[in-house]
Amino acid sequence: MAELTAAAFEEAQARGEERLRGPRAESAHYDAGRNRVIVLLTTGIEVGFPPDVVEGLAGAAAADLAEIEVEAFGLGLHFPRLDADLYVPALLEGILGSKRWMAEHSPAAVLGAKGGQARGGAKASAARENGKRGGRPKKVSA
């Protein structure tokens, strides 16, 4: 194993400081009255979100959300009773879970699913008209 030189250490330290720029979590708590996880950022801004929109927190009891640890220099939030972790930069970008979880639980996915389940005169009428023309057109390879 190579010995760590002073120059290599300074380079690594500079890379680490670069990653720590931008907002990070200073503290976090669960507000049961509003059903929100509240995160105070190093910029002084507070961000709140309902736990049900986050993978690993959805459906959790208030007691399980009550304990939140700020980790990794403010880049992570850990919920020990749920063994769930959130990456603060991703949270600020609106990424609240894995791609698969987001596809199934994002507001757009939920809205689309509800629309597909809709039953009404307009949808039934459109389906009948489509049926008169032979139904859904077959997919054609280009």
Side-chain angles (χ1 to χ4, degrees):
M1 184 173 196
E3 187 175 322
L4 181 64
T5 65
F9 178 78
E10 288 175 13
E11 288 175 19
Q13 191 172 23
R15 286 192 308 271
E17 287 174 8
E18 181 67 30
R19 289 185 180 151
L20 291 179
R21 289 190 186 155
R24 297 182 318 276
E26 204 169 87
S27 65
H29 69 277
Y30 176 64
D31 183 340
R34 293 178 19 203
N35 188 32
R36 295 283 187 273
V37 174
I38 308 295
V39 182
L40 175 62
L41 301 173
T42 54
T43 58
I45 295 173
E46 281 188 350
V47 177
F49 58 89
D52 285 340
V53 300
V54 179
E55 183 177 17
L57 304 183
D64 293 332
L65 295 166
E67 189 178 343
I68 306 171
E69 299 171 353
V70 176
E71 296 183 336
F73 302 102
L75 294 175
L77 299 177
H78 179 64
F79 295 78
R81 294 182 182 182
L82 301 168
D83 194 26
D85 295 291
L86 294 177
Y87 182 54
V88 173
L91 173 70
L92 296 176
E93 290 179 19
I95 300 169
L96 306 171
S98 66
K99 286 182 182 180
R100 182 177 183 169
W101 193 88
M102 291 288 294
E104 294 172 1
H105 295 90
S106 72
V110 171
L111 183 61
K114 294 228 183 271
Q117 295 172 351
R119 295 176 188 214
K123 185 175 178 181
S125 176
R128 278 192 297 276
E129 288 301 314
N130 193 29
K132 288 178 187 176
R133 290 182 290 220
R136 184 179 300 227
K138 303 289 183 213
K139 291 185 180 183
V140 179
S141 298

